[in-house]
Amino acid sequence: MVGKDMVIKDDGIGTIGLMAPAETRMTRMRRALVMLDARWRTLAREPEEGAATAEYAVVLVAATGFAAVLVALLKSDAVKTLLTNIVKKALNV
């Protein structure tokens, strides 16, 4: 496209190159900032509830696995002996 003041290079997807007048670039930058602000406000208003639910599920599975490992350790003879000796020493003091 050829304007009155200078040549505007249009790449066909709606962006204007550096040869555009300053007002046109500023207008597009303002419009982009307004759209970005609107998107951020939309995301802040609509929390991703599904993602939070999935995160809770992962935490629950991890906690259950940790509890299973802990129970298995506490049932072992070595840990039972260790805990019994600790309690006996504490009661002797």
Side-chain angles (χ1 to χ4, degrees), residues 22-58:
E23 294 124 14
T24 305
R25 286 193 308 261
M26 292 303 292
T27 302
R28 287 191 178 242
M29 286 179 7
R30 263 193 217 103
R31 187 177 309 143
L33 285 173
V34 167
M35 294 301 289
L36 182 63
D37 180 57
R39 181 66 182 147
W40 278 108
R41 289 175 189 265
T42 301
L43 288 173
R45 253 193 327 248
E46 300 170 3
E48 298 176 13
E49 294 172 4
T53 303
E55 290 165 2
Y56 285 128
V58 169

Side-chain angles (χ1 to χ4, degrees), residues 64-80:
T64 305
F66 181 72
V69 169
L70 189 61
V71 167
L73 283 174
L74 290 175
K75 283 187 174 183
S76 70
D77 289 333
V79 174
K80 281 183 185 177

